[in-house]
Amino acid sequence: MIPGYAELHCLSNYTFLRGASDPEELVERAMELGYSAIAITDECSVSGVVRAYSAAKDAGLKLIIGAEFTLIEGMRLVLLVRNIRGYEILCELITRARRAAPKGEYKLAREDLPQSPEGLLAIGLPGKLVSDTTSGETASKIVSDTSFLSQRFPGAAYLGIELHRGADDNRRIEAIEAIARQSGLPCVAAGDVHMHIRARKKLQDVMTAIRLKTTLAEAGKGLQPNSERYLRSIGRLSAIYPARLLATTLDVASRCTFSLDEIRYEYPEELVPPGQTPTTHLRRLTQEGIAQRYKGDPPASVLRTVEHELKLIEELKYEPFFLTVHDIVAFARQEKILCQGRGSAANSAVCYCLGITEVDPGRMSVLFERFISRERNEPPDIDVDFEHQRREEVIQYIYAKYGRDRAAIAAVVICYRSRSALRDVGKAMGVDERLVDEFAKDHYWFDQTVLVDRLEEAMARAGVRESLTKLQLWLELTNKLKGFPRHLSQHVGGFVLTQTKLTRLVPVEKASMADRSVIQWEKDDLEAMGMLKVDVLALGMLSAIQRGLGFMNRWRGTSVQMHQIPNDDAKVYDMICAADTIGVFQIESRAQMSMLPRLQPRRYYDLVVEVAIVRPGPIQGGMVHPYLKNREKLRRGEQIEYRYPALKEALGRTLGVPI
């Protein structure tokens, strides 16, 4: 009878330039092969686990979370998470290791590993066994490492046996099991998986050469000797490993019960004064804002809108989020830093009353549910722009208020695009640099159907000759590498804030910029985990507006603020209709300027349509001409026909055309 199997050591492509498969591909392939579980153990990282978690949830496969480490002393090991406490320890360990080294690297010593860590399992990974000290690992070193693991992880340590069809596999099993018996550790099978199918070996070799900054021809022993580091069938594994080692993988998997479902994200609540709740404090601040905005005489419609919004915010428990954004904006205003909320937050009367946005709901017909909706169950997204020259003051205020352990910027995963993939793969394969440069300049057509013709043209222009077979492989691997993660960068300003230590939810590491830190998850991961972020962005136009208001107020002796600028100045619209808009934010591009004389905007909402309609979606969807046609009918006093009467109310302001 073939035993079951759980893969306990598996790298995704979030171990940059080592793993050659997406987390989703690994999970889906493990499910196809009938695995009982799969562990995603990227090197000192959990960057890919949310994607793996979503895929495993859909597939109904058990996911184990862990990480691979190589210690300063040379020992390699995998740490697997058993429970929520173990996950917190792992995140803090990764944080410590990343902060101790330059960006993109990590540093971890034996002494840094937690003492008797509750919630983690450790699998030691012996290297190549040798009888001397010139290469590989001696038996005495493995004994030392094994003894250390048994003391550091009592009752929770294993010795991993990873076999890849080497000539000495049987001797390796005997030697490692003999060492394990000396320290009382059980042995377990593992795969050191780098790819979901063996066909990815060529790509994995190229990625290795890129990582080593060399070519395939010169990489030598840096490349894996064969293509066995893939998710193998259980039948194939049974022919390689003794059944006892495969059975132990199931025992290890059964001890790992943690799921990302157990994470409990809590937003900071220290902004609530003693004796109040987030709900009562937000209501009080909103009422104060109403009094300031409307000078004690708010329209009844605004009061109804505010009440509706506050009830929905309370129902969804988003009050701390609004209070945090209000606090950041209040700091900026106190320091006379011009700021402005934008995006769907402009649809909120509460945001207007809190001073987050300058869009008066009394002047606009807005739909709050575009911003927050119980049906969509998506977290609110508030983008706040600050003067670009002074945004750093706001960022450092946030770090100072919440601390480095509770505040960090979301990551952005920088992925390979056509040009960067062409260059890196070309260098790794030893393609003539002149041809790589020539071809990369003309990469936009990149399409499998015209490869040969284009290659011939590029070689002729570059004045070089290469084997067409080699060049076709170059383009094939380039196409596979496109979209692969290359490294982590920082989001333009998406802050993640927590009530407890952020480093227990997700690891935090250094950013390339000084005095910045980033988490290992990007915005899509945060949304999947129900974690909120505040976007603290920079906008040069706000700096220009700030200077303009300052000049005007000093010249005229006034104190006009941005929200008091009128939106119905006829002379301004005359300039806009004439496309005299160079330097005017949002309507200064060539495409916008060509549309303005045709659309002839005469009120604020016309500008909303103008900005929205000059976009790929409306243009490719054929919405521009129908809208302009209906607008011309309106000017002539003709009746507009609505193709779908049921949508007349929703599409009335855009003249029956969805924009």
Side-chain angles (χ1 to χ4, degrees), residues 605-627:
Y605 195 77
D606 291 344
L607 293 177
V608 174
V609 172
E610 158 71 31
V611 171
I613 205 169
V614 184
R615 289 288 188 275
I619 292 172
Q620 294 173 12
M623 303 171 188
V624 177
H625 291 294
Y627 177 81

Side-chain angles (χ1 to χ4, degrees), residues 129-143:
L129 291 168
V130 294
S131 57
D132 56 61
T133 59
T134 58
S135 63
E137 292 182 310
T138 62
S140 61
K141 181 181 183 305
I142 297 176
V143 169

Side-chain angles (χ1 to χ4, degrees), residues 94-96 98-104 391-392 395-396 398-412 488-498 501-503 506-522 526 533-534 536:
I94 293 173
T95 298
R96 187 181 312 124
R98 291 288 184 180
R99 284 178 170 173
K103 175 178 166 51
R391 182 180 66 142
E392 191 62 28
I395 288 176
Q396 294 308 319
I398 295 172
Y399 277 131
K401 188 174 188 70
Y402 297 100
R404 295 279 169 171
D405 288 340
R406 296 176 55 212
I409 296 175
V412 171
L488 287 185
S489 183
Q490 62 176 346
H491 189 274
V492 290
F495 259 97
V496 181
L497 308 171
T498 56
K501 293 181 71 173
L502 177 60
T503 50
V506 57
V508 177
E509 59 182 65
K510 291 179 179 178
S512 55
M513 293 181 64
D515 299 323
R516 299 282 185 91
S517 52
V518 298
I519 64 172
Q520 289 189 336
W521 289 346
E522 60 177 347
L526 295 174
K533 67 177 175 64
V534 179
V536 179

Side-chain angles (χ1 to χ4, degrees), residues 300-312:
S301 60
V302 170
L303 294 177
R304 287 195 299 271
T305 301
V306 167
E307 189 61 31
H308 167 69
E309 293 184 16
L310 287 175
K311 286 182 178 178
L312 186 56

Side-chain angles (χ1 to χ4, degrees), residues 112-239:
D112 296 320
L113 294 175
Q115 297 277 359
S116 303
E118 175 191 353
L120 287 177
L121 297 178
I123 301 177
L125 302 173
K128 183 180 179 182
L129 291 168
V130 294
S131 57
D132 56 61
T133 59
T134 58
S135 63
E137 292 182 310
T138 62
S140 61
K141 181 181 183 305
I142 297 176
V143 169
S144 172
D145 291 343
T146 304
S147 176
F148 169 78
L149 285 180
S150 64
Q151 296 172 16
R152 202 74 159 191
F153 297 85
Y158 297 80
L159 207 53
I161 298 181
E162 300 185 323
L163 307 177
H164 301 105
R165 291 291 192 182
D168 60 346
D169 279 359
N170 291 334
R171 186 175 69 85
R172 181 175 176 80
I173 292 174
E174 294 173 1
I176 292 178
E177 288 191 323
I179 292 171
R181 283 192 292 271
Q182 295 181 38
S183 47
L185 290 188
C187 289
V188 64
D192 191 20
V193 171
H194 284 58
M195 47 202 172
H196 72 297
I197 54 176
R198 68 187 311 160
R200 286 284 170 89
K201 178 63 164 61
K202 291 179 182 178
L203 179 63
Q204 208 280 326
D205 283 347
V206 165
M207 293 168 64
T208 300
I210 294 171
R211 189 181 79 250
L212 298 177
K213 296 181 172 59
T214 187
T215 64
L216 289 170
E218 298 174 351
K221 293 184 178 180
L223 303 178
Q224 294 168 1
N226 59 30
S227 55
E228 285 293 309
R229 284 176 171 80
Y230 72 103
L231 292 175
R232 295 169 283 189
S233 69
I234 296 178
R236 185 175 180 83
L237 291 167
S238 298

Side-chain angles (χ1 to χ4, degrees), residues 382-419:
I382 298 181
D383 299 337
V384 186
D385 292 313
F386 298 85
E387 296 177 56
H388 77 289
Q389 294 166 322
R390 302 190 64 188
R391 182 180 66 142
E392 191 62 28
E393 296 176 45
V394 180
I395 288 176
Q396 294 308 319
Y397 166 76
I398 295 172
Y399 277 131
K401 188 174 188 70
Y402 297 100
R404 295 279 169 171
D405 288 340
R406 296 176 55 212
I409 296 175
V412 171
V413 179
I414 304 301
C415 298
Y416 273 102
R417 296 186 179 181
S418 295
R419 181 171 288 162

